[in-house]
PDB file of all heavy atoms in Angstrom:
ATOM      1  N   VAL A   1     -19.965  -9.113 -12.564  1.00 97.00           N
ATOM      2  CA  VAL A   1     -18.958  -8.192 -12.044  1.00 97.00           C
ATOM      3  C   VAL A   1     -19.356  -6.796 -12.511  1.00 97.00           C
ATOM      4  O   VAL A   1     -19.745  -6.611 -13.670  1.00 97.00           O
ATOM      5  CB  VAL A   1     -17.550  -8.561 -12.550  1.00 97.00           C
ATOM      6  CG1 VAL A   1     -16.520  -7.547 -12.076  1.00 97.00           C
ATOM      7  CG2 VAL A   1     -17.170  -9.962 -12.074  1.00 97.00           C
ATOM      8  N   ASN A   2     -19.259  -5.820 -11.632  1.00 95.00           N
ATOM      9  CA  ASN A   2     -19.778  -4.486 -11.933  1.00 95.00           C
ATOM     10  C   ASN A   2     -19.100  -3.787 -13.097  1.00 95.00           C
ATOM     11  O   ASN A   2     -19.726  -2.993 -13.805  1.00 95.00           O
ATOM     12  CB  ASN A   2     -19.686  -3.596 -10.690  1.00 95.00           C
ATOM     13  CG  ASN A   2     -20.665  -4.016  -9.611  1.00 95.00           C
ATOM     14  OD1 ASN A   2     -21.714  -4.585  -9.894  1.00 95.00           O
ATOM     15  ND2 ASN A   2     -20.312  -3.759  -8.365  1.00 95.00           N
ATOM     16  N   SER A   3     -17.813  -4.060 -13.305  1.00 94.00           N
ATOM     17  CA  SER A   3     -17.069  -3.331 -14.336  1.00 94.00           C
ATOM     18  C   SER A   3     -15.985  -4.210 -14.940  1.00 94.00           C
ATOM     19  O   SER A   3     -15.410  -5.063 -14.246  1.00 94.00           O
ATOM     20  CB  SER A   3     -16.444  -2.078 -13.724  1.00 94.00           C
ATOM     21  OG  SER A   3     -15.490  -1.509 -14.603  1.00 94.00           O
ATOM     22  N   PRO A   4     -15.672  -4.019 -16.222  1.00 94.00           N
ATOM     23  CA  PRO A   4     -14.586  -4.772 -16.869  1.00 94.00           C
ATOM     24  C   PRO A   4     -13.212  -4.487 -16.264  1.00 94.00           C
ATOM     25  O   PRO A   4     -12.253  -5.213 -16.536  1.00 94.00           O
ATOM     26  CB  PRO A   4     -14.645  -4.288 -18.324  1.00 94.00           C
ATOM     27  CG  PRO A   4     -16.035  -3.793 -18.505  1.00 94.00           C
ATOM     28  CD  PRO A   4     -16.405  -3.180 -17.192  1.00 94.00           C
ATOM     29  N   SER A   5     -13.113  -3.447 -15.458  1.00 94.00           N
ATOM     30  CA  SER A   5     -11.835  -3.113 -14.829  1.00 94.00           C
ATOM     31  C   SER A   5     -11.646  -3.800 -13.480  1.00 94.00           C
ATOM     32  O   SER A   5     -10.558  -3.744 -12.896  1.00 94.00           O
ATOM     33  CB  SER A   5     -11.714  -1.595 -14.643  1.00 94.00           C
ATOM     34  OG  SER A   5     -12.732  -1.109 -13.791  1.00 94.00           O
ATOM     35  N   GLU A   6     -12.676  -4.479 -12.985  1.00 95.00           N
ATOM     36  CA  GLU A   6     -12.581  -5.160 -11.690  1.00 95.00           C
ATOM     37  C   GLU A   6     -12.057  -6.581 -11.864  1.00 95.00           C
ATOM     38  O   GLU A   6     -12.761  -7.583 -11.651  1.00 95.00           O
ATOM     39  CB  GLU A   6     -13.941  -5.154 -10.999  1.00 95.00           C
ATOM     40  CG  GLU A   6     -14.419  -3.754 -10.628  1.00 95.00           C
ATOM     41  CD  GLU A   6     -15.690  -3.766  -9.807  1.00 95.00           C
ATOM     42  OE1 GLU A   6     -16.055  -4.843  -9.282  1.00 95.00           O
ATOM     43  OE2 GLU A   6     -16.317  -2.706  -9.673  1.00 95.00           O
ATOM     44  N   LEU A   7     -10.783  -6.669 -12.243  1.00 95.00           N
ATOM     45  CA  LEU A   7     -10.175  -7.962 -12.537  1.00 95.00           C
ATOM     46  C   LEU A   7      -9.944  -8.792 -11.272  1.00 95.00           C
ATOM     47  O   LEU A   7      -9.982 -10.026 -11.322  1.00 95.00           O
ATOM     48  CB  LEU A   7      -8.856  -7.762 -13.283  1.00 95.00           C
ATOM     49  CG  LEU A   7      -8.965  -7.037 -14.635  1.00 95.00           C
ATOM     50  CD1 LEU A   7      -7.608  -6.975 -15.316  1.00 95.00           C
ATOM     51  CD2 LEU A   7      -9.986  -7.710 -15.540  1.00 95.00           C
ATOM     52  N   THR A   8      -9.696  -8.137 -10.157  1.00 94.00           N
ATOM     53  CA  THR A   8      -9.493  -8.870  -8.906  1.00 94.00           C
ATOM     54  C   THR A   8     -10.742  -9.650  -8.528  1.00 94.00           C
ATOM     55  O   THR A   8     -10.671 -10.825  -8.129  1.00 94.00           O
ATOM     56  CB  THR A   8      -9.123  -7.901  -7.759  1.00 94.00           C
ATOM     57  OG1 THR A   8      -7.910  -7.219  -8.104  1.00 94.00           O
ATOM     58  CG2 THR A   8      -8.925  -8.670  -6.461  1.00 94.00           C
ATOM     59  N   GLU A   9     -11.901  -9.015  -8.675  1.00 96.00           N
ATOM     60  CA  GLU A   9     -13.167  -9.690  -8.390  1.00 96.00           C
ATOM     61  C   GLU A   9     -13.369 -10.876  -9.325  1.00 96.00           C
ATOM     62  O   GLU A   9     -13.844 -11.945  -8.910  1.00 96.00           O
ATOM     63  CB  GLU A   9     -14.334  -8.710  -8.547  1.00 96.00           C
ATOM     64  CG  GLU A   9     -15.717  -9.311  -8.327  1.00 96.00           C
ATOM     65  CD  GLU A   9     -15.946  -9.784  -6.905  1.00 96.00           C
ATOM     66  OE1 GLU A   9     -15.198  -9.354  -6.001  1.00 96.00           O
ATOM     67  OE2 GLU A   9     -16.869 -10.593  -6.700  1.00 96.00           O
ATOM     68  N   CYS A  10     -12.983 -10.709 -10.575  1.00 95.00           N
ATOM     69  CA  CYS A  10     -13.099 -11.793 -11.553  1.00 95.00           C
ATOM     70  C   CYS A  10     -12.213 -12.977 -11.149  1.00 95.00           C
ATOM     71  O   CYS A  10     -12.648 -14.134 -11.204  1.00 95.00           O
ATOM     72  CB  CYS A  10     -12.698 -11.276 -12.936  1.00 95.00           C
ATOM     73  SG  CYS A  10     -12.752 -12.536 -14.220  1.00 95.00           S
ATOM     74  N   ILE A  11     -10.993 -12.702 -10.740  1.00 94.00           N
ATOM     75  CA  ILE A  11     -10.067 -13.766 -10.329  1.00 94.00           C
ATOM     76  C   ILE A  11     -10.615 -14.519  -9.120  1.00 94.00           C
ATOM     77  O   ILE A  11     -10.541 -15.750  -9.053  1.00 94.00           O
ATOM     78  CB  ILE A  11      -8.680 -13.175 -10.013  1.00 94.00           C
ATOM     79  CG1 ILE A  11      -8.028 -12.663 -11.305  1.00 94.00           C
ATOM     80  CG2 ILE A  11      -7.778 -14.223  -9.345  1.00 94.00           C
ATOM     81  CD1 ILE A  11      -6.732 -11.916 -11.089  1.00 94.00           C
ATOM     82  N   LEU A  12     -11.182 -13.784  -8.169  1.00 96.00           N
ATOM     83  CA  LEU A  12     -11.755 -14.426  -6.983  1.00 96.00           C
ATOM     84  C   LEU A  12     -12.902 -15.359  -7.353  1.00 96.00           C
ATOM     85  O   LEU A  12     -13.038 -16.455  -6.791  1.00 96.00           O
ATOM     86  CB  LEU A  12     -12.240 -13.361  -5.999  1.00 96.00           C
ATOM     87  CG  LEU A  12     -11.152 -12.531  -5.312  1.00 96.00           C
ATOM     88  CD1 LEU A  12     -11.783 -11.428  -4.467  1.00 96.00           C
ATOM     89  CD2 LEU A  12     -10.252 -13.417  -4.447  1.00 96.00           C
ATOM     90  N   LEU A  13     -13.731 -14.947  -8.312  1.00 96.00           N
ATOM     91  CA  LEU A  13     -14.835 -15.795  -8.762  1.00 96.00           C
ATOM     92  C   LEU A  13     -14.326 -17.046  -9.468  1.00 96.00           C
ATOM     93  O   LEU A  13     -14.874 -18.144  -9.291  1.00 96.00           O
ATOM     94  CB  LEU A  13     -15.759 -15.005  -9.692  1.00 96.00           C
ATOM     95  CG  LEU A  13     -16.642 -13.940  -9.028  1.00 96.00           C
ATOM     96  CD1 LEU A  13     -17.345 -13.095 -10.078  1.00 96.00           C
ATOM     97  CD2 LEU A  13     -17.665 -14.591  -8.096  1.00 96.00           C
ATOM     98  N   ILE A  14     -13.278 -16.887 -10.279  1.00 95.00           N
ATOM     99  CA  ILE A  14     -12.687 -18.038 -10.973  1.00 95.00           C
ATOM    100  C   ILE A  14     -12.133 -19.032  -9.955  1.00 95.00           C
ATOM    101  O   ILE A  14     -12.369 -20.245 -10.050  1.00 95.00           O
ATOM    102  CB  ILE A  14     -11.572 -17.586 -11.938  1.00 95.00           C
ATOM    103  CG1 ILE A  14     -12.168 -16.801 -13.107  1.00 95.00           C
ATOM    104  CG2 ILE A  14     -10.796 -18.799 -12.467  1.00 95.00           C
ATOM    105  CD1 ILE A  14     -11.129 -16.204 -14.033  1.00 95.00           C
ATOM    106  N   GLU A  15     -11.380 -18.528  -8.972  1.00 95.00           N
ATOM    107  CA  GLU A  15     -10.793 -19.403  -7.961  1.00 95.00           C
ATOM    108  C   GLU A  15     -11.872 -20.124  -7.150  1.00 95.00           C
ATOM    109  O   GLU A  15     -11.740 -21.314  -6.826  1.00 95.00           O
ATOM    110  CB  GLU A  15      -9.883 -18.592  -7.041  1.00 95.00           C
ATOM    111  CG  GLU A  15      -8.620 -18.086  -7.737  1.00 95.00           C
ATOM    112  CD  GLU A  15      -7.769 -17.237  -6.819  1.00 95.00           C
ATOM    113  OE1 GLU A  15      -8.282 -16.799  -5.755  1.00 95.00           O
ATOM    114  OE2 GLU A  15      -6.592 -17.005  -7.150  1.00 95.00           O
ATOM    115  N   LYS A  16     -12.936 -19.402  -6.830  1.00 94.00           N
ATOM    116  CA  LYS A  16     -14.033 -20.002  -6.074  1.00 94.00           C
ATOM    117  C   LYS A  16     -14.681 -21.140  -6.860  1.00 94.00           C
ATOM    118  O   LYS A  16     -14.977 -22.215  -6.311  1.00 94.00           O
ATOM    119  CB  LYS A  16     -15.083 -18.935  -5.747  1.00 94.00           C
ATOM    120  CG  LYS A  16     -16.267 -19.448  -4.954  1.00 94.00           C
ATOM    121  CD  LYS A  16     -17.265 -18.320  -4.658  1.00 94.00           C
ATOM    122  CE  LYS A  16     -18.474 -18.830  -3.891  1.00 94.00           C
ATOM    123  NZ  LYS A  16     -19.454 -17.738  -3.619  1.00 94.00           N
ATOM    124  N   LYS A  17     -14.880 -20.913  -8.161  1.00 94.00           N
ATOM    125  CA  LYS A  17     -15.488 -21.947  -9.001  1.00 94.00           C
ATOM    126  C   LYS A  17     -14.560 -23.140  -9.170  1.00 94.00           C
ATOM    127  O   LYS A  17     -15.015 -24.300  -9.144  1.00 94.00           O
ATOM    128  CB  LYS A  17     -15.845 -21.357 -10.370  1.00 94.00           C
ATOM    129  CG  LYS A  17     -16.651 -22.313 -11.249  1.00 94.00           C
ATOM    130  CD  LYS A  17     -17.981 -22.680 -10.609  1.00 94.00           C
ATOM    131  CE  LYS A  17     -18.810 -23.592 -11.490  1.00 94.00           C
ATOM    132  NZ  LYS A  17     -20.094 -23.966 -10.869  1.00 94.00           N
ATOM    133  N   LEU A  18     -13.273 -22.892  -9.323  1.00 92.00           N
ATOM    134  CA  LEU A  18     -12.316 -23.984  -9.461  1.00 92.00           C
ATOM    135  C   LEU A  18     -12.292 -24.853  -8.205  1.00 92.00           C
ATOM    136  O   LEU A  18     -12.200 -26.083  -8.275  1.00 92.00           O
ATOM    137  CB  LEU A  18     -10.909 -23.437  -9.744  1.00 92.00           C
ATOM    138  CG  LEU A  18     -10.677 -22.856 -11.140  1.00 92.00           C
ATOM    139  CD1 LEU A  18      -9.292 -22.232 -11.232  1.00 92.00           C
ATOM    140  CD2 LEU A  18     -10.835 -23.930 -12.218  1.00 92.00           C
ATOM    141  N   GLU A  19     -12.367 -24.221  -7.060  1.00 92.00           N
ATOM    142  CA  GLU A  19     -12.402 -24.970  -5.796  1.00 92.00           C
ATOM    143  C   GLU A  19     -13.658 -25.824  -5.712  1.00 92.00           C
ATOM    144  O   GLU A  19     -13.614 -26.977  -5.249  1.00 92.00           O
ATOM    145  CB  GLU A  19     -12.355 -24.002  -4.620  1.00 92.00           C
ATOM    146  CG  GLU A  19     -11.000 -23.314  -4.438  1.00 92.00           C
ATOM    147  CD  GLU A  19     -11.019 -22.292  -3.318  1.00 92.00           C
ATOM    148  OE1 GLU A  19     -12.092 -22.124  -2.677  1.00 92.00           O
ATOM    149  OE2 GLU A  19      -9.975 -21.664  -3.082  1.00 92.00           O
ATOM    150  N   ALA A  20     -14.778 -25.280  -6.153  1.00 92.00           N
ATOM    151  CA  ALA A  20     -16.032 -26.033  -6.136  1.00 92.00           C
ATOM    152  C   ALA A  20     -15.962 -27.235  -7.068  1.00 92.00           C
ATOM    153  O   ALA A  20     -16.415 -28.334  -6.735  1.00 92.00           O
ATOM    154  CB  ALA A  20     -17.197 -25.122  -6.529  1.00 92.00           C
ATOM    155  N   LEU A  21     -15.380 -27.049  -8.234  1.00 89.00           N
ATOM    156  CA  LEU A  21     -15.241 -28.145  -9.196  1.00 89.00           C
ATOM    157  C   LEU A  21     -14.280 -29.199  -8.680  1.00 89.00           C
ATOM    158  O   LEU A  21     -14.462 -30.396  -8.908  1.00 89.00           O
ATOM    159  CB  LEU A  21     -14.766 -27.603 -10.549  1.00 89.00           C
ATOM    160  CG  LEU A  21     -15.764 -26.731 -11.308  1.00 89.00           C
ATOM    161  CD1 LEU A  21     -15.101 -26.102 -12.529  1.00 89.00           C
ATOM    162  CD2 LEU A  21     -16.973 -27.561 -11.746  1.00 89.00           C
ATOM    163  N   GLN A  22     -13.231 -28.748  -7.994  1.00 86.00           N
ATOM    164  CA  GLN A  22     -12.252 -29.673  -7.438  1.00 86.00           C
ATOM    165  C   GLN A  22     -12.881 -30.561  -6.372  1.00 86.00           C
ATOM    166  O   GLN A  22     -12.473 -31.707  -6.169  1.00 86.00           O
ATOM    167  CB  GLN A  22     -11.074 -28.894  -6.835  1.00 86.00           C
ATOM    168  CG  GLN A  22      -9.952 -29.761  -6.290  1.00 86.00           C
ATOM    169  CD  GLN A  22      -9.208 -30.520  -7.375  1.00 86.00           C
ATOM    170  OE1 GLN A  22      -9.324 -30.192  -8.549  1.00 86.00           O
ATOM    171  NE2 GLN A  22      -8.466 -31.537  -6.974  1.00 86.00           N
ATOM    172  N   ALA A  23     -13.896 -30.049  -5.692  1.00 88.00           N
ATOM    173  CA  ALA A  23     -14.552 -30.796  -4.613  1.00 88.00           C
ATOM    174  C   ALA A  23     -15.569 -31.809  -5.132  1.00 88.00           C
ATOM    175  O   ALA A  23     -16.068 -32.643  -4.370  1.00 88.00           O
ATOM    176  CB  ALA A  23     -15.239 -29.823  -3.659  1.00 88.00           C
ATOM    177  N   GLU A  24     -15.900 -31.750  -6.417  1.00 85.00           N
ATOM    178  CA  GLU A  24     -16.869 -32.687  -6.975  1.00 85.00           C
ATOM    179  C   GLU A  24     -16.300 -34.107  -6.986  1.00 85.00           C
ATOM    180  O   GLU A  24     -15.096 -34.293  -7.181  1.00 85.00           O
ATOM    181  CB  GLU A  24     -17.245 -32.269  -8.402  1.00 85.00           C
ATOM    182  CG  GLU A  24     -18.065 -30.994  -8.477  1.00 85.00           C
ATOM    183  CD  GLU A  24     -18.486 -30.657  -9.897  1.00 85.00           C
ATOM    184  OE1 GLU A  24     -18.025 -31.352 -10.831  1.00 85.00           O
ATOM    185  OE2 GLU A  24     -19.269 -29.716 -10.070  1.00 85.00           O
ATOM    186  N   PRO A  25     -17.136 -35.124  -6.790  1.00 84.00           N
ATOM    187  CA  PRO A  25     -16.669 -36.519  -6.760  1.00 84.00           C
ATOM    188  C   PRO A  25     -15.947 -36.931  -8.040  1.00 84.00           C
ATOM    189  O   PRO A  25     -14.927 -37.609  -7.992  1.00 84.00           O
ATOM    190  CB  PRO A  25     -17.970 -37.317  -6.575  1.00 84.00           C
ATOM    191  CG  PRO A  25     -18.913 -36.351  -5.954  1.00 84.00           C
ATOM    192  CD  PRO A  25     -18.566 -35.006  -6.528  1.00 84.00           C
ATOM    193  N   GLU A  26     -16.493 -36.547  -9.163  1.00 83.00           N
ATOM    194  CA  GLU A  26     -15.881 -36.881 -10.440  1.00 83.00           C
ATOM    195  C   GLU A  26     -15.153 -35.660 -10.982  1.00 83.00           C
ATOM    196  O   GLU A  26     -15.759 -34.623 -11.233  1.00 83.00           O
ATOM    197  CB  GLU A  26     -16.942 -37.346 -11.441  1.00 83.00           C
ATOM    198  CG  GLU A  26     -17.627 -38.641 -11.055  1.00 83.00           C
ATOM    199  CD  GLU A  26     -18.591 -39.117 -12.125  1.00 83.00           C
ATOM    200  OE1 GLU A  26     -18.580 -38.521 -13.225  1.00 83.00           O
ATOM    201  OE2 GLU A  26     -19.344 -40.054 -11.866  1.00 83.00           O
ATOM    202  N   LYS A  27     -13.842 -35.793 -11.144  1.00 78.00           N
ATOM    203  CA  LYS A  27     -13.034 -34.673 -11.614  1.00 78.00           C
ATOM    204  C   LYS A  27     -13.272 -34.449 -13.103  1.00 78.00           C
ATOM    205  O   LYS A  27     -13.366 -35.392 -13.894  1.00 78.00           O
ATOM    206  CB  LYS A  27     -11.551 -34.934 -11.365  1.00 78.00           C
ATOM    207  CG  LYS A  27     -11.221 -35.300  -9.931  1.00 78.00           C
ATOM    208  CD  LYS A  27     -11.711 -34.262  -8.939  1.00 78.00           C
ATOM    209  CE  LYS A  27     -11.363 -34.644  -7.514  1.00 78.00           C
ATOM    210  NZ  LYS A  27     -11.942 -33.731  -6.518  1.00 78.00           N
ATOM    211  N   LYS A  28     -13.372 -33.184 -13.473  1.00 83.00           N
ATOM    212  CA  LYS A  28     -13.605 -32.819 -14.865  1.00 83.00           C
ATOM    213  C   LYS A  28     -12.469 -31.920 -15.363  1.00 83.00           C
ATOM    214  O   LYS A  28     -11.863 -31.176 -14.585  1.00 83.00           O
ATOM    215  CB  LYS A  28     -14.932 -32.059 -15.020  1.00 83.00           C
ATOM    216  CG  LYS A  28     -16.125 -32.725 -14.366  1.00 83.00           C
ATOM    217  CD  LYS A  28     -16.562 -33.961 -15.104  1.00 83.00           C
ATOM    218  CE  LYS A  28     -17.831 -34.541 -14.495  1.00 83.00           C
ATOM    219  NZ  LYS A  28     -18.277 -35.774 -15.175  1.00 83.00           N
ATOM    220  N   ASN A  29     -12.184 -32.013 -16.642  1.00 87.00           N
ATOM    221  CA  ASN A  29     -11.284 -31.038 -17.248  1.00 87.00           C
ATOM    222  C   ASN A  29     -12.000 -29.699 -17.297  1.00 87.00           C
ATOM    223  O   ASN A  29     -13.203 -29.643 -17.559  1.00 87.00           O
ATOM    224  CB  ASN A  29     -10.881 -31.470 -18.659  1.00 87.00           C
ATOM    225  CG  ASN A  29      -9.978 -32.685 -18.653  1.00 87.00           C
ATOM    226  OD1 ASN A  29      -9.110 -32.825 -17.799  1.00 87.00           O
ATOM    227  ND2 ASN A  29     -10.192 -33.592 -19.600  1.00 87.00           N
ATOM    228  N   VAL A  30     -11.271 -28.634 -17.054  1.00 91.00           N
ATOM    229  CA  VAL A  30     -11.877 -27.305 -17.029  1.00 91.00           C
ATOM    230  C   VAL A  30     -11.201 -26.409 -18.064  1.00 91.00           C
ATOM    231  O   VAL A  30      -9.976 -26.296 -18.097  1.00 91.00           O
ATOM    232  CB  VAL A  30     -11.750 -26.655 -15.636  1.00 91.00           C
ATOM    233  CG1 VAL A  30     -12.392 -25.267 -15.647  1.00 91.00           C
ATOM    234  CG2 VAL A  30     -12.410 -27.525 -14.574  1.00 91.00           C
ATOM    235  N   LEU A  31     -12.016 -25.794 -18.897  1.00 90.00           N
ATOM    236  CA  LEU A  31     -11.533 -24.828 -19.874  1.00 90.00           C
ATOM    237  C   LEU A  31     -11.980 -23.439 -19.442  1.00 90.00           C
ATOM    238  O   LEU A  31     -13.164 -23.212 -19.197  1.00 90.00           O
ATOM    239  CB  LEU A  31     -12.101 -25.130 -21.267  1.00 90.00           C
ATOM    240  CG  LEU A  31     -11.698 -24.138 -22.372  1.00 90.00           C
ATOM    241  CD1 LEU A  31     -10.243 -24.350 -22.770  1.00 90.00           C
ATOM    242  CD2 LEU A  31     -12.603 -24.287 -23.580  1.00 90.00           C
ATOM    243  N   ILE A  32     -11.033 -22.519 -19.326  1.00 92.00           N
ATOM    244  CA  ILE A  32     -11.354 -21.130 -18.992  1.00 92.00           C
ATOM    245  C   ILE A  32     -11.210 -20.298 -20.255  1.00 92.00           C
ATOM    246  O   ILE A  32     -10.158 -20.283 -20.887  1.00 92.00           O
ATOM    247  CB  ILE A  32     -10.423 -20.587 -17.891  1.00 92.00           C
ATOM    248  CG1 ILE A  32     -10.526 -21.455 -16.633  1.00 92.00           C
ATOM    249  CG2 ILE A  32     -10.786 -19.139 -17.568  1.00 92.00           C
ATOM    250  CD1 ILE A  32      -9.564 -21.059 -15.535  1.00 92.00           C
ATOM    251  N   ILE A  33     -12.280 -19.616 -20.621  1.00 91.00           N
ATOM    252  CA  ILE A  33     -12.277 -18.790 -21.833  1.00 91.00           C
ATOM    253  C   ILE A  33     -12.377 -17.324 -21.433  1.00 91.00           C
ATOM    254  O   ILE A  33     -13.270 -16.938 -20.675  1.00 91.00           O
ATOM    255  CB  ILE A  33     -13.461 -19.155 -22.753  1.00 91.00           C
ATOM    256  CG1 ILE A  33     -13.379 -20.626 -23.180  1.00 91.00           C
ATOM    257  CG2 ILE A  33     -13.491 -18.240 -23.980  1.00 91.00           C
ATOM    258  CD1 ILE A  33     -14.568 -21.087 -24.005  1.00 91.00           C
TER     259      ILE A  33
END
């Protein structure tokens, strides 16, 4: 992400990754740090 102030872009990336993980055959617990 270009800047620490671009939180909207960060949220979009998190949501995109969560959707990808949700689509995996084996569900995993996800920790966001």
Side-chain angles (χ1 to χ4, degrees):
V1 176
N2 290 333
S3 167
S5 62
E6 295 187 15
L7 299 183
T8 300
E9 178 65 18
C10 178
I11 292 173
L12 291 175
L13 287 171
I14 292 174
E15 291 178 345
K16 180 180 179 181
K17 188 61 178 179
L18 288 174
E19 289 176 0
L21 292 172
Q22 183 67 16
E24 291 183 353
E26 295 184 9
K27 307 305 180 186
K28 310 288 185 181
N29 291 322
V30 180
L31 178 74
I32 302 175
I33 300 176

